[in-house]
């Protein structure tokens, strides 16, 4: 089946090449980001402009880079870049991006065939050969389906969707000031979705608004300690579930049997809508953040950054993290960390005694590259990253460095 494409911009060789360009910018169908807001760094734009007409040296291709590749359901742009590149975070060069000329995004989809062009020692990935019309193979279906709904994301979004609202890094004292649960409509040991609970705040902030209001339920703001300096960088709150505000706090005046008036605070009414762990009286409430759909663009930091793994999110008992796990790192917005930044994970070399030395000198083994992680949520001094690749288990204290860095 042939899929027609309508040119949305000029000064590009073909709309098919443009489709590949913007697909690799990680724009999925549910993320219709205006062109002016595309998450592209200055370094990426510079790289794209330099290689738009030629691609990358063939020496930078993966050893077994195929001449053609048919996009499959479940693929991500990171997966495809890994097939073709030794350094998948260098995707702008592979796709020959020229971002200044692009006004609107095109996307690539399952069923499209990608072609690797090799000319004069340079290589570039396109969605159609010169002079050929782009073809998308679509399996027969009973119901109609929009192609835009199947566009490829940069990484598997489902792996990080929950973490967009779950991790919350608080400053000192912020937890104490948060609204709290003071009771429940039913005396139950375990509360579940649909149960009614009541909450109070120190400043009467639990008030009804025009829109539905949701809050996250937290407990135990745990200090996040920098493994390098032992400084506390923030406090990670344990996510328990979500509640919806049904009625706000207010004051209510009643008369007792003697006719005396008493004005009492009435707590806010909230219904539990989701539970991850047990919710109980005393737990704290934080507003549900407005979810902004983000098209993650995996890329290396413009300048060299390095840090350490602070914790493995979601478990206090697991010593090692692996592919698709989430880690907290000791670098954040204040250090220049951005969404999409890719770091190389390094296993720190152990300090051992040189048994071949008569003095038994203590030596430090070199750090060894172990995998890659991409930042998807940032705070001031802390960030959360998804492990994209890991040869061995990742543990607290392991190092992170910019992937292009060579000491």
């Amino acid at each position: 089946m042939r899929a027609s494409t309508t040119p949305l911009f000029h000064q590009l060789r073909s709309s098919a090449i443009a489709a590949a360009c913007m697909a690799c910018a990680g724009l999925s169908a549910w993320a219709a980001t205006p062109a002016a807001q595309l998450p592209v760094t200055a370094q990426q734009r510079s790289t794209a402009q330099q290689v738009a007409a030629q691609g990358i040296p063939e020496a930078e291709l993966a050893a077994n880079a195929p001449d053609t590749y048919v996009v499959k359901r479940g693929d991500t742009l990171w997966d495809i870049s890994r097939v073709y590149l030794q350094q998948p975070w260098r995707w702008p060069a592979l796709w020959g991006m020229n971002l200044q000329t692009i006004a609107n995004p095109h996307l690539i989809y399952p069923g499209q065939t990608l072609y690797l062009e090799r000319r004069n020692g340079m290589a570039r990935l396109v969605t159609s050969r010169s002079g050929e019309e782009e073809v998308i193979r679509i399996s027969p279906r009973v119901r109609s389906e929009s192609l835009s709904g199947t566009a490829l994301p940069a990484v598997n979004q489902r792996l990080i969707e929950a973490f967009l609202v779950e991790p919350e890094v608080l400053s000192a004292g912020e937890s104490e000031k948060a609204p709290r649960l003071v009771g429940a409509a039913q005396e139950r040991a375990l509360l579940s979705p649909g149960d009614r609970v009541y909450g109070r705040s120190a400043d009467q902030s639990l008030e009804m608004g025009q829109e539905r209001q949701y809050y996250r339920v937290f407990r135990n703001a745990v200090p996040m300690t920098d493994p390098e300096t032992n400084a506390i960088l923030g406090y990670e709150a344990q996510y328990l579930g979500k509640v919806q505000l049904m009625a706000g706090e207010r004051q209510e005046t009643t008369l007792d049997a003697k006719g005396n008036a008493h004005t009492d605070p009435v707590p806010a009414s909230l219904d539990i809508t989701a539970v991850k762990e047990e919710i109980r009286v005393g737990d704290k409430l934080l507003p549900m953040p407005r979810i902004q759909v983000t098209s993650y663009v995996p890329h290396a930091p413009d300048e060299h950054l390095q840090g350490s793994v602070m914790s493995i999110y979601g478990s206090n008992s697991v010593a090692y993290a692996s592919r698709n796990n989430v880690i907290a790192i000791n670098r954040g917005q204040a250090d220049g960390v951005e969404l999409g930044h890719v770091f190389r994970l390094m296993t720190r070399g152990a300090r051992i005694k040189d048994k071949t030395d008569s003095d038994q000198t203590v030596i430090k083994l070199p750090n060894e590259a172990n995998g890659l992680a991409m930042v998807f949520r940032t705070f001031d001094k802390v960030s959360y990253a998804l492990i994209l690749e890991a040869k061995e288990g990742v543990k607290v204290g392991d190092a992170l460095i910019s992937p292009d860095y060579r000491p």
Side-chain angles (χ1 to χ4, degrees):
M1 175 177 178
R2 293 186 181 275
S4 61
T5 56
T6 302
L8 299 178
F9 41 82
H10 305 288
Q11 302 175 16
L12 284 177
R13 292 185 180 181
S14 68
S15 60
I17 295 177
C21 295
M22 291 315 301
C24 219
L27 295 170
S28 56
W30 41 265
T33 308
Q37 301 177 12
L38 295 178
V40 178
T41 68
Q43 179 64 35
Q44 288 175 328
R45 187 176 296 278
S46 174
T47 299
Q49 292 166 355
Q50 293 173 19
V51 303
Q54 59 184 15
I56 62 171
E58 287 191 50
E60 297 184 15
L61 293 174
N64 298 317
D67 292 331
T68 61
Y69 181 86
V70 178
V71 180
K72 306 184 299 294
R73 286 187 179 275
D75 277 345
T76 65
L77 297 168
W78 179 270
D79 296 334
I80 296 174
S81 294
R82 169 54 77 188
V83 168
Y84 281 96
L85 287 173
Q86 299 176 35
Q87 300 174 328
W89 58 90
R90 294 206 62 228
W91 56 267
L94 176 68
W95 294 78
M97 294 177 64
N98 187 348
L99 301 180
Q100 282 189 329
T101 63
I102 296 175
N104 291 292
H106 268 292
L107 304 170
I108 62 172
Y109 315 92
Q112 279 183 310
T113 299
L114 307 179
Y115 301 94
L116 184 64
E117 289 187 343
R118 302 173 189 251
R119 294 179 183 175
N120 302 321
M122 305 298 291
R124 184 172 60 171
L125 199 61
V126 298
T127 55
S128 66
R129 292 192 177 102
S130 298
E132 293 184 0
E133 183 180 355
E134 179 183 355
V135 175
I136 304 177
R137 298 177 178 84
I138 305 175
S139 301
R141 300 198 187 288
V142 175
R143 60 182 176 85
S144 63
E145 183 178 83
S146 170
L147 271 180
S148 63
T150 64
L152 266 62
V155 296
N156 189 339
Q157 186 76 13
R158 287 176 296 178
L159 297 174
I160 57 179
E161 282 175 350
F163 299 104
L164 298 179
V165 296
E166 286 193 11
E168 188 66 36
V169 179
L170 309 176
S171 59
E174 193 173 355
S175 176
E176 286 74 11
K177 299 176 183 177
R180 64 197 182 278
L181 294 181
V182 297
Q186 295 87 17
E187 293 294 334
R188 296 178 181 172
L190 296 177
L191 297 172
S192 58
D195 287 346
R196 173 65 55 89
V197 290
Y198 305 108
R200 290 189 65 194
S201 64
D203 56 2
Q204 297 286 305
S205 60
L206 293 176
E207 297 179 341
M208 290 294 294
Q210 295 182 349
E211 300 179 356
R212 291 184 179 182
Q213 294 171 262
Y214 291 90
Y215 291 82
R216 293 165 293 168
V217 185
F218 285 98
R219 184 186 306 142
N220 299 337
V222 179
M224 303 186 78
T225 304
D226 190 328
E228 299 173 10
T229 66
N230 289 325
I232 295 177
L233 303 182
Y235 296 83
E236 183 181 74
Q238 177 189 0
Y239 174 83
L240 305 174
K242 184 171 71 171
V243 296
Q244 180 182 355
L245 182 64
M246 306 304 294
E249 294 178 271
R250 65 184 189 279
Q251 299 287 326
E252 187 173 292
T253 301
T254 57
L255 297 176
D256 61 19
K258 297 181 179 180
N260 298 318
H262 297 274
T263 301
D264 302 304
V266 177
S269 298
L270 307 107
D271 286 349
I272 297 175
T273 60
V275 174
K276 183 179 180 182
E277 297 188 26
E278 176 190 356
I279 294 175
R280 55 178 182 252
V281 171
D283 290 336
K284 302 299 180 69
L285 302 174
L286 290 173
M288 180 70 65
R290 182 178 296 276
I291 302 301
Q292 295 183 345
V293 176
T294 301
S295 296
Y296 296 98
V297 182
H299 61 283
D302 294 342
E303 299 179 357
H304 175 57
L305 296 175
Q306 61 184 20
S308 299
V309 177
M310 275 202 308
S311 63
I312 301 170
Y313 184 77
S315 177
N316 296 322
S317 59
V318 175
Y320 294 92
S322 58
R323 183 173 180 265
N324 295 336
N325 286 156
V326 170
I327 54 176
I329 66 176
N330 65 339
R331 296 291 184 269
Q333 297 168 2
D335 306 294
V337 176
E338 302 173 356
L339 298 181
H341 267 174
V342 173
F343 287 93
R344 188 178 296 282
L345 295 163
M346 305 290 293
T347 300
R348 294 189 186 274
R351 297 177 70 248
I352 63 171
K353 289 183 178 180
D354 182 357
K355 296 181 180 179
T356 66
D357 183 351
S358 59
D359 294 331
Q360 297 285 290
T361 303
V362 174
I363 60 175
K364 163 69 169 61
L365 298 181
N367 293 348
E368 295 291 346
N370 185 33
L372 298 167
M374 186 201 75
V375 172
F376 66 86
R377 193 166 187 209
T378 59
F379 294 89
D380 186 39
K381 299 179 181 178
V382 174
S383 297
Y384 290 90
L386 176 70
I387 298 177
L388 300 173
E389 303 171 13
K391 294 184 291 187
E392 298 180 359
V394 178
K395 62 182 183 298
V396 172
D398 280 355
L400 302 103
I401 62 173
S402 298
D404 292 323
Y405 179 67
R406 294 293 181 268

